[in-house]
Amino acid sequence: MITTKPRDDRRAAWLFLLPVLVGFAVFYGYPAARGVWYSVTDYNMLNTATYVGAENYAKLLADEAFWNSMKVTAWYVVLNIGSQTLLALGIATLMHRLTRSVMLRATLLLPWLVPNVTIGLLWMWLLDTNLGFVNQLLHAVGLGPVGFFTDETWAMPTVAGINTWAYTGYTALLLYAGMLQIPQYLYEGASIDGAGEWRMFRGITLPLLRPVLALVLVVSLIGSFQIFDTIAVTTKGGPVSATQVIYYFIYLQAFKYFHLGYAAAAAVFLALILGVLTAIQMRLLRASRSDLA
Amino acid sequence: MNRRSRAGAALLSLAVVAGLAACSGATEEQAGAPVTLNYWLWDDNQKASYQQCADEFTKANPNITVKISQAAWNEYWQNLTTQIASGDAPDVWTNQGSYYPQFVSSGQILDIQPFVEADKVDLSQYQGGLADLFTKDGKRFGLPKDWDTMALVYNTEHLKAQGIDAAGLANLTWNPTDGGSFEQAIAKATVDEKGRNGLDPAFDKTKVKVFGFLPEWADGSQGQNGWGNLAASNGFTYLDKNPWGTQYKYDDPKLAQTIDWFKSLSAKGYAPALDKASTLSRDSLLNAGKGAITFAGSWMINSYLGDGAKLKFAFAPLPTGPQGRKTAINGLSDAIWAGTKHKDESWKWVKFLGSADCQNIVGGNGVVFPAIKSASEKALAAHTGKGRDVKVFVDEAAAPGGTFFVPITEHGNEISQLVQDAIQAAILGQTDSATSLKKANDQVNALFK
């Protein structure tokens, strides 16, 4: 009797993975390792880095500006992810249940295709207090000018709104792709049983979309924490650090004050937080298991 | 050893020899060998003028060519710092007061005092005090290239329509209590939607059409574009000594009074409140007719009086405060990288940049005011030739005791953010000016411990 052992493909697999691994090591692994090393040094670009132990981290934990930037970032993430996910879910459902026009899908992606700096400039002009179109409209209906970027209470919601505008289409497409995986017969059955659209959304779409929704949430949460360009273009962290998010804080420390070591420590800290947040989210949403199976 | 490896060894040794040759070429410069110097600046308006200088320089020194690179202000310092960190910095670059101290303290700028002494460069040819801004402990880190001062810029037709006499603007007074005749002019220049000016008892400050004054609140630790000048005319000094002081005085009540006055302008409706201010630059707002008067530096001359301006503007001297009329004066310099392989050639270029030969070319193009007094006159003449009245900038620079240098110290960038935030917090009413500035001052001085 001849027994055939299943062929071991692992060696071949590694061979195929090699090109990616090299890229990963050179462009991610090595810089990340260097970043971690810089975070325990006093590197300022012009000196030779010397080891200072946990000094940067101790300073970071006591730094008011750092904690403010964490708080500001959290506020941004809540505003941005909240509005973006809700809107995207609504749009995806509409696309799924009403129309499957390719034109419409392409249009949704348009804002996402525009570079962020352009978007920042565009909205900066539209929302300007004195010259902006939006304030002219407000004025026409008798409302006072709103300093969208210069008023402390408005600055962050404005930035979050701009990014929601830019990314909702993309998120909606991802969710729409997820909805396409849900078997059509479930909807047919439900509608024969007399369920309305809202009922079907709650009873079929949402539960079966969960793994995709979880993935989209994790990805957009990480992306949302990395908000930088819109702020760099519009508010530059102001007014009085009301929009000084963590990435802008790191940027200021690294490339304005040249505290590379300190900035690296903040970056490592941010990576840790993101890791923990992702783990919690994956856990809570049981992202690896689908109810379809 | 087989044939192939022998050939390989021969190639290798060749490479080593070639490498050695390259090294020796770098260390012991043969006189007369062609040299290319890299020179950096950030102002694209000035690049053409300095290219002219470089061409003249190469004519006189045929073995040296100068390659000019220009990067916008925001990227300039990052690029420069990264290039220095990677050991590949330009041989000569343009420096500015708040950024150059970090290069001095990290030993990246060549001390040119020995060269200056050997070649007997006349330091008295420069606008008073400029040459000293770039010295520390008897060492010299650059020769001055240009300077700038501040003035008021106003919309001529608007002020005329509001019945404000242009001649009267030359003698404005200011004080932090009632704002003097400066505030009167601002009030008169402010117009609400019904056409009433700021002095009219029926003036509606909630519906202002044209603001009399446009303040600049993103003005760092120096307030060069506004509060710094008025605070100085109120008797405020930034720090114990300039350059290289270590004790700042932002807690001076004279500064807080000045900030409070600016705040009162917004409260009266004469200037946009910070939380209702535009994110666009003041010159776009002036051009859009949304404001009447603001501060302008001499580097803005071509923006306000050039072909790009949509409205007619003119300059007036700064108002005279309790301690007289005071304008911030700031200067740039050219520095040599300590790691350059061409020290002598670089010095020749820096000396040429700081000489009348080059500065006359730059002045003749009427872009900036060169550091050499006679070249400044040339710049003034060039402007006058184009029908632009910019004499006020030169007069202010020449007035005895009428100028103050913006601070040059370590930690310039951090101080800039701390003080700017403190002033914005005061303007927004988060705390009062005195408390906010006291806190910022403590944070600033802690940087020097």
Side-chain angles (χ1 to χ4, degrees):
Chain A
M1 203 178 148
I2 308 161
T3 52
T4 48
K5 262 189 5 193
R7 237 180 55 213
D8 189 355
D9 285 338
R10 268 176 295 182
R11 290 181 69 178
W14 281 112
L15 219 62
F16 280 106
L17 281 174
L18 198 65
V20 187
L21 284 179
V22 168
F24 185 81
V26 173
F27 296 111
Y28 283 91
Y30 175 66
R34 262 176 79 104
V36 173
W37 158 242
Y38 281 145
S39 76
V40 290
T41 66
D42 63 351
Y43 187 51
N44 70 6
M45 254 175 166
L46 299 176
N47 61 354
T48 21
T50 45
Y51 179 73
V52 293
E55 197 185 283
N56 285 329
Y57 289 93
K59 217 173 110 195
L60 194 66
L61 293 181
D63 190 341
E64 220 179 286
F66 171 72
W67 288 113
N68 175 60
S69 76
M70 290 303 285
K71 213 171 73 192
V72 166
T73 313
W75 175 225
Y76 168 80
V77 170
V78 169
L79 285 172
N80 176 240
I81 295 294
S83 59
Q84 180 175 306
T85 314
L86 281 180
L87 272 175
L89 205 55
I91 292 174
T93 314
L94 286 180
M95 275 201 294
H96 182 52
R97 301 297 301 155
L98 280 180
T99 166
R100 300 202 169 173
S101 146
V102 178
M103 266 291 283
L104 201 71
R105 262 181 280 162
T107 320
L108 270 180
L109 263 191
L110 271 183
W112 182 72
L113 292 175
V114 183
N116 268 352
V117 173
T118 319
I119 289 178
L121 286 173
L122 180 82
W123 282 102
M124 198 164 97
W125 279 93
L126 279 174
L127 296 176
D128 188 78
T129 322
N130 289 321
L131 301 177
F133 180 67
V134 175
N135 268 312
Q136 300 290 337
L137 284 185
L138 286 179
H139 185 80
V141 296
L143 294 171
V146 178
F148 286 104
F149 293 109
T150 44
D151 189 318
E152 293 159 278
T153 40
W154 278 105
M156 198 42 115
T158 306
V159 172
I162 292 174
N163 276 21
T164 297
W165 175 81
Y167 286 102
T168 296
Y170 178 69
T171 316
L173 269 199
L174 291 180
L175 294 177
Y176 173 68
M179 289 177 185
L180 286 182
Q181 291 178 349
I182 302 172
Q184 196 60 36
Y185 64 78
L186 291 176
Y187 291 97
E188 282 159 13
S191 71
I192 288 170
D193 289 344
E197 281 297 329
W198 175 241
R199 186 74 207 280
M200 285 194 270
F201 176 74
R202 275 181 47 210
I204 303 171
T205 314
L206 265 191
L208 293 180
L209 192 65
R210 204 198 55 236
V212 175
L213 195 59
L215 181 83
V216 168
L217 266 181
V218 169
V219 171
S220 51
L221 187 84
I222 294 176
S224 189
F225 259 92
Q226 303 183 345
I227 163 80
F228 175 78
D229 23 24
T230 316
I231 283 174
V233 171
T234 56
T235 63
K236 302 198 167 49
V240 202
S241 55
T243 59
Q244 206 193 82
V245 289
I246 182 70
Y247 255 54
Y248 202 76
F249 173 83
I250 294 174
Y251 164 79
L252 278 182
Q253 292 293 341
F255 297 110
K256 276 267 146 87
Y257 311 155
F258 302 108
H259 298 156
L260 268 287
Y262 192 55
V268 169
F269 204 85
L270 176 65
L272 284 179
I273 291 178
L274 283 181
V276 170
L277 277 182
T278 310
I280 293 176
Q281 243 182 345
M282 298 291 265
R283 207 46 200 262
L284 283 181
L285 288 164
R286 290 167 293 141
S288 50
R289 273 180 294 153
S290 166
D291 292 343
L292 265 179
Chain B
M1 209 185 239
N2 65 25
R3 218 198 203 141
R4 203 195 283 169
S5 63
R6 236 182 301 163
L11 265 178
L12 254 181
S13 50
L14 244 181
V16 169
V17 173
L20 280 179
C23 285
S24 65
T27 43
E28 38 181 285
E29 281 289 333
Q30 288 150 338
V35 165
T36 303
L37 293 178
N38 282 306
Y39 175 58
W40 280 21
L41 46 80
W42 63 77
D43 190 352
D44 52 344
N45 291 323
Q46 297 175 39
K47 195 182 169 195
S49 301
Y50 284 102
Q51 189 59 53
Q52 270 175 277
C53 283
D55 295 343
E56 286 300 312
F57 178 70
T58 307
K59 241 181 246 169
N61 304 277
N63 63 324
I64 312 175
T65 17
V66 179
K67 186 170 169 279
I68 301 181
S69 307
Q70 179 258 331
W73 170 262
N74 282 331
E75 289 79 43
Y76 184 82
W77 301 102
Q78 287 167 24
N79 289 359
L80 186 61
T81 316
T82 0
Q83 294 276 85
I84 290 176
S86 65
D88 187 26
D91 303 282
V92 180
W93 73 78
T94 309
N95 260 341
Q96 190 258 7
S98 33
Y99 277 90
Y100 99 94
Q102 61 184 343
F103 298 117
V104 169
S105 47
S106 54
Q108 296 298 335
I109 302 182
L110 190 72
D111 172 21
I112 56 169
Q113 185 62 24
F115 289 110
V116 169
E117 277 164 21
D119 288 1
K120 298 193 178 61
V121 176
D122 174 19
L123 295 171
S124 67
Q125 64 182 327
Y126 301 114
Q127 186 74 36
L130 280 187
D132 299 335
L133 289 182
F134 299 95
T135 58
K136 186 186 188 188
D137 307 330
K139 291 183 175 143
R140 187 172 297 277
F141 299 103
L143 285 183
K145 62 190 300 174
D146 60 22
W147 55 264
D148 47 68
T149 50
M150 303 300 300
L152 295 177
V153 62
Y154 60 92
N155 178 332
T156 51
E157 274 159 37
H158 178 75
L159 260 61
K160 206 177 184 183
Q162 289 304 112
I164 300 166
D165 178 22
L169 289 175
N171 303 306
L172 292 177
T173 58
W174 175 81
N175 64 70
T177 327
D178 66 7
S181 63
F182 183 37
E183 185 171 327
Q184 294 299 305
I186 290 173
K188 234 172 148 184
T190 309
V191 183
D192 72 6
E193 281 171 358
K194 298 245 165 66
R196 292 173 296 220
N197 76 24
L199 294 175
D200 190 324
F203 170 73
D204 183 358
K205 65 180 183 183
T206 60
K207 295 200 168 64
V208 179
K209 193 159 162 256
V210 182
F211 287 106
F213 182 74
L214 295 178
E216 173 63 69
W217 295 122
D219 211 4
S221 57
Q222 313 185 322
Q224 194 185 2
N225 296 292
W227 56 262
N229 304 289
L230 292 189
S233 75
N234 193 27
F236 166 73
T237 45
Y238 293 86
L239 70 175
D240 52 352
K241 71 181 168 89
N242 195 21
W244 307 109
T246 53
Q247 186 74 35
Y248 273 90
K249 301 182 194 166
Y250 286 113
D251 55 352
D252 186 339
K254 288 177 182 134
L255 175 59
Q257 286 168 1
T258 310
I259 301 299
D260 283 337
W261 177 76
F262 277 104
K263 208 170 154 180
S264 76
L265 281 188
S266 300
K268 289 172 188 160
Y270 300 164
L274 174 54
D275 55 1
K276 298 235 190 299
S278 175
T279 31
L280 305 172
S281 60
R282 287 169 299 139
D283 61 305
S284 0
L285 294 177
L286 276 186
N287 267 309
K290 297 281 179 182
I293 306 171
T294 191
F295 286 81
S298 54
W299 65 90
M300 291 297 286
I301 288 173
N302 290 339
S303 306
Y304 283 119
L305 301 186
D307 303 328
K310 294 195 190 80
L311 299 172
K312 286 251 175 295
F313 297 103
F315 295 108
L318 296 179
T320 311
Q323 306 292 321
R325 175 181 290 140
K326 303 274 182 192
T327 170
I329 184 167
N330 196 12
L332 307 183
S333 78
D334 289 305
I336 303 175
W337 182 37
T340 178
K341 285 175 186 152
H342 313 293
K343 285 200 172 71
D344 293 326
E345 290 83 353
S346 296
W347 163 245
K348 268 190 191 162
W349 171 233
V350 166
K351 193 170 92 174
F352 184 73
L353 286 169
S355 73
D357 292 337
C358 172
Q359 301 209 348
N360 280 337
I361 296 176
V362 177
N365 290 337
V367 182
V368 288
F369 291 111
I372 295 180
K373 289 175 220 155
S374 59
S376 266
E377 293 299 323
K378 279 225 158 53
L380 184 59
H383 280 301
T384 315
K386 289 182 198 163
R388 300 171 183 175
D389 183 5
V390 298
K391 203 163 175 301
V392 24
F393 293 105
V394 183
D395 288 349
E396 283 184 3
T403 60
F404 63 94
F405 288 106
V406 292
I408 292 179
T409 66
E410 300 269 353
H411 311 295
N413 309 326
E414 285 149 275
I415 297 171
S416 181
Q417 191 74 43
L418 283 171
V419 176
Q420 180 173 311
D421 278 355
I423 287 179
Q424 290 194 0
I427 291 293
L428 286 171
Q430 292 178 347
T431 49
D432 64 289
S433 309
T435 318
S436 183
L437 285 164
K438 172 83 179 67
K439 186 177 160 215
N441 197 52
D442 291 344
Q443 288 173 317
V444 164
N445 285 328
L447 293 170
F448 291 90
K449 292 203 176 100

